[in-house]
Amino acid sequence: MSQFTTPAVLELLDNYKWRMVEPFRYYTEHMTACFDVELIESGYCLALGHVINVPVDYVTDLTSVPRALWSIFPPNGRYAKAAIVHDYLYSNALGSKAWADKVFLEAMTVLNVPWWRRHLMYWAVRWFGRGAYAVAGVDVDMDDFKKDGHDGFN
């Protein structure tokens, strides 16, 4: 069962940035499409039953929602812990982008974020999110996503 295994302890910095004060962990049962042991061991691909460890001093903006939409999607909503994990995966290009987005959706489900809200946020990151995947030269289009047969509504 996927779950957050530690509380998120954050310190507010300037300009809506937050710093992790204590390690933060999320256990995901979501499996990547990657089965290459060397890639899994290198950290490029993460395997089934993986604990995502967000370290102390990691800085996040929680959600990268444009300020004009904060009344509907505030950066510190019920989904904030899912956003921390997603930001960490994105900023380090861990796993594939599609996998990071699936973990985000899964984590929002764990947090009981309403169906409509979590799916709007999921599709926003699927379509517009880039993070370090583009910098790392990892394909950020939807091809890996389509191969899974995942429709985002699980």
Side-chain angles (χ1 to χ4, degrees):
M1 172 185 232
S2 298
Q3 63 184 330
F4 292 90
T5 59
T6 58
V9 182
L10 302 161
E11 171 188 29
L12 178 62
L13 304 174
D14 292 335
N15 204 21
Y16 299 100
K17 299 287 184 184
W18 299 82
R19 182 182 71 82
M20 298 304 303
V21 175
E22 294 181 13
F24 180 57
R25 292 179 188 86
Y26 177 69
Y27 173 80
T28 180
E29 292 180 344
H30 244 299
M31 189 166 157
T32 69
C34 179
F35 298 101
D36 183 315
V37 174
E38 286 182 29
L39 289 176
I40 290 171
E41 289 174 354
S42 73
Y44 175 74
C45 295
L46 302 175
L48 177 67
H50 187 79
V51 176
I52 299 166
N53 293 297
V54 181
V56 171
D57 293 330
Y58 177 72
V59 176
T60 178
D61 66 354
L62 299 179
T63 58
S64 303
V65 175
R67 190 179 289 255
L69 299 176
W70 280 10
S71 62
I72 303 167
F73 299 102
N76 60 347
R78 182 183 294 184
Y79 39 78
K81 291 198 287 188
I84 294 167
V85 171
H86 190 252
D87 277 2
Y88 181 70
L89 295 173
Y90 259 47
S91 64
N92 292 286
L94 297 175
S96 70
K97 179 187 176 304
W99 180 78
D101 294 342
K102 288 179 201 176
V103 169
F104 182 49
L105 180 61
E106 171 196 63
M108 287 190 290
T109 302
V110 167
L111 294 168
N112 295 315
V113 173
W115 186 94
W116 68 270
R117 185 179 301 261
R118 72 177 176 251
H119 283 88
L120 278 174
M121 295 180 77
Y122 169 79
W123 283 107
V125 298
R126 277 308 298 144
W127 291 330
F128 304 113
R130 293 293 177 257
Y133 295 102
V135 175
V138 177
D139 189 9
V140 294
D141 69 16
M142 301 220 5
D143 288 343
D144 58 343
F145 180 74
K146 291 174 188 171
K147 289 176 198 168
D148 291 352
H150 181 77
D151 61 7
F153 295 97
N154 301 359

